[in-house]
Structure formats: structure tokens, C-alpha cells
Amino acid sequence: MLPECSHMFSEIKKALEKASTVEEVGDALVSALKRQGVIYTRRGFVSGIISSDGREKIAGNLDVLRRRAEAIRRKSRFPVLSAACVFNVDLLKRTGGLAYSDPQWFAFWRRVLREGRITDLYFTPRWEESRGARDEFEAARELSIRTHQAVFLDDEKVFVYPLSLKEKA
């Protein structure tokens, strides 16, 4: 991971220790992303399945998403994060995130994409089955964010290719 990126994640982690609401998490995340804009002109976000398999699968899906984001980050020359870089089940419980509705999460991540100035959005396998990822795809279309499909051979090997905003209309 790039040193500046490591700093961003440690900065986010420190802010999250104090967060008691999802809104405070969003404020910390957007603030950290904006500061990275001084160093990087591009910032990436990895989208995929989190809760669409059911609440009992959230922890496992966050772990898979975290590993996939790390694999994509290793191939990038700019910071790349995902929901799994920010949230874990304990933080979701503490901030009330487990009780959030889909529209609330859509608004949260759209704010991060827009105000955090995300330039690249990576979609992982099965993203089409995720309500949130589908909304992030629509947000990418509205915000003119570059979209990429990520194909994984395993946790370490990933191929990324452009995903047309028109493909999934």
C-alpha cells in the first residue's frame, strides 16, 4: 500500500474510534478523502455484496470485500477503499448502521462518492445482486465516475477492465 494511503486509513480508523453515528463515519471518511485530493487526483472505491446474502453473511462478505479491495489497491497508483475498509460489524452495531434502510445507505455512499471525489469505481463479482452496488453504478453514471469490472482468480490475482456505463442500463 502507498504510504499516503496508509496514512489515510490510519486517519480514518482514528476518527472512527470516536464515531457514534453513521453520519459521523461519513464526515470522517469524506474529510480524509478530500485531504488525499491534495496528493492524488484519483481515488477509487470497490463495490460488492455486503448484506444482500442476509444479515448473517455480513461479516463474511465484508471480509471478502476487504481482501478484494486490497488486491485492487495493490494494482493501483492511487488510494482505493471499500465499505469493508471503513465498517466492521462492531462499528455497524455501535453507530446504528445495522438498522439503516437501503435508501439511507444509498444516500450515505452517494455522498462519499460525490463529496469524497471518487474517480474510479470497481465492481466485484456478483455486484449486480447487490442493491447498494447497483445504486453505486447509477451514481457513477450520474457523476461520470470511471467504472471497472474486477475479475478475481483468487485473493491475490485480479484483472480489471473498463465497465461501460451503458452496459447495465
Side-chain angles (χ1 to χ4, degrees):
M1 184 183 322
L2 301 166
E4 295 86 353
C5 195
S6 297
H7 174 72
M8 179 179 70
F9 289 112
S10 64
E11 178 183 335
I12 292 169
K13 185 177 178 181
K14 186 176 180 180
L16 296 181
E17 291 172 359
K18 301 173 188 173
S20 60
T21 67
V22 174
E23 290 78 15
E24 289 175 1
V25 171
D27 291 344
L29 182 54
V30 166
S31 177
L33 286 166
K34 283 181 178 178
R35 279 191 292 282
Q36 285 301 303
V38 174
I39 301 167
Y40 295 99
T41 58
R42 293 174 71 180
R43 284 160 299 290
F45 185 81
V46 181
S47 185
I49 295 277
I50 296 176
S51 63
S52 294
D53 290 335
R55 287 180 73 141
E56 68 281 357
K57 302 280 186 169
I58 291 175
N61 285 341
L62 282 170
D63 188 52
V64 169
L65 189 59
R66 180 191 49 76
R67 289 193 314 271
R68 289 178 172 171
E70 287 172 3
I72 292 169
R73 188 177 310 120
R74 283 191 295 273
K75 292 185 68 106
S76 301
R77 297 180 184 264
F78 51 87
V80 175
L81 70 147
S82 72
C85 299
V86 179
F87 288 100
N88 59 34
V89 175
D90 290 337
L91 183 60
L92 286 169
K93 288 178 183 175
R94 187 175 82 231
T95 60
L98 289 174
Y100 255 44
S101 66
D102 283 351
Q104 288 173 299
W105 280 119
F106 298 165
F108 175 89
W109 289 115
R110 279 177 176 255
R111 176 183 175 221
V112 170
L113 295 176
R114 183 183 60 255
E115 293 181 27
R117 301 183 188 117
I118 299 298
T119 59
D120 293 75
L121 195 48
Y122 298 87
F123 291 92
T124 60
R126 297 182 54 222
W127 73 268
E128 298 97 334
E129 299 171 35
S130 165
R131 295 174 303 277
R134 288 192 313 265
D135 186 70
E136 289 155 8
F137 183 83
E138 290 303 318
R141 192 182 300 216
E142 294 165 16
L143 299 168
S144 300
I145 295 172
R146 291 178 195 95
T147 54
H148 311 272
Q149 177 71 54
V151 178
F152 293 83
L153 300 179
D154 57 34
D155 283 346
E156 299 292 321
K157 296 178 185 163
V158 59
F159 294 96
V160 175
Y161 61 91
L163 177 63
S164 168
L165 290 174
K166 296 176 185 171
E167 287 183 32
K168 303 288 179 180

